[in-house]
Amino acid sequence: MRQYIIAGNWKMNKTVSESVTLAKQIVEAVKDVKNTEVVIAPTYLAAAKVADVVKGTNVKLAVQDIHWKDQGAFTGKVSIDMVKEIGAEYVIIGHSEQRQYFHETEETVNLKVKKTLSAGLKPIICIGETLEERNGGILENVLTTQIKGAYQDLSADDALKTVIAYEPVWAIGTGVVATDEQAQDTQAFVRSVMKNIYGESVSEAVRIQYGGSMKPDNAKGLLGQKDIDGGLIGGAALKSDSFFAIIAAAEAQ
Ligand code: PEP
């Protein structure tokens, strides 16, 4: 049985003080949550202070990206040691906004995944197609390329430590959500690609989140699907009540 994982991606929202306030509200809201893994990903600037808030609670810390190099002349970037030191457990990698605006490629996703795993942290690997790709009939090609790229040279043991976030680009931040059936069908396909690479036991164990306008009112249906093991949440993660409502929907499954 795969444990649900609900992760909030705060993107470039919330100042440091606002982040601390939201993190405190979430810690309080989820203190009795037993079965669902809860993760929040503030900005780098807020991450160290949020780390202090979540320490010793059932909320885990993620960051939204890393650089794959250990240190050096990479202005604007943050290394895995820096995020490890503050206690982050997860790193979001390959988000569609990184792919779209910041030249993320299959190769850089793979480098970041390997660096994250080598430091003992866990990657949340984002994949997903644009509407053009879906309508053009190349959905499966796109997802297969992204999965094979991200997992290039990764052992089965390492694959087991990863989480996949299937996020149709057309559903991210748009209010347009994939239907339960669309999400389930696509996530079953993602799992089948993992099965082709790693075999059944790994593919059945790896958790696959859905992301893209998941909200309290659609979370129950999405999370009720066989191959949906959680959510990567943007907009609805910016308020503790809506984020908690999604976590409660996971707990109730
Ligand atoms: C995301 O950024 O990963 C996301 C799914 O955003 P939203 O929930 O706002 O669509």
Side-chain angles (χ1 to χ4, degrees), residues 95-109:
H95 192 280
S96 68
E97 288 149 18
Q98 285 287 335
R99 294 177 189 262
Q100 200 179 342
Y101 307 130
F102 301 110
H103 313 293
E104 187 88 275
T105 64
E106 309 311 345
E107 192 191 353
T108 59
V109 168

Side-chain angles (χ1 to χ4, degrees), residues 9 11 95 97 167 171-174 211-214 232-235:
N9 174 14
K11 311 192 187 190
H95 192 280
E97 288 149 18
E167 302 203 294
I172 298 178
T174 58
S213 299
M214 191 185 272
L232 182 56
I233 322 294

Side-chain angles (χ1 to χ4, degrees), residues 146-160:
Q146 290 174 341
I147 295 165
K148 286 193 169 156
Y151 286 83
Q152 172 107 35
D153 302 326
L154 249 67
S155 67
D157 274 356
D158 275 344
L160 283 169

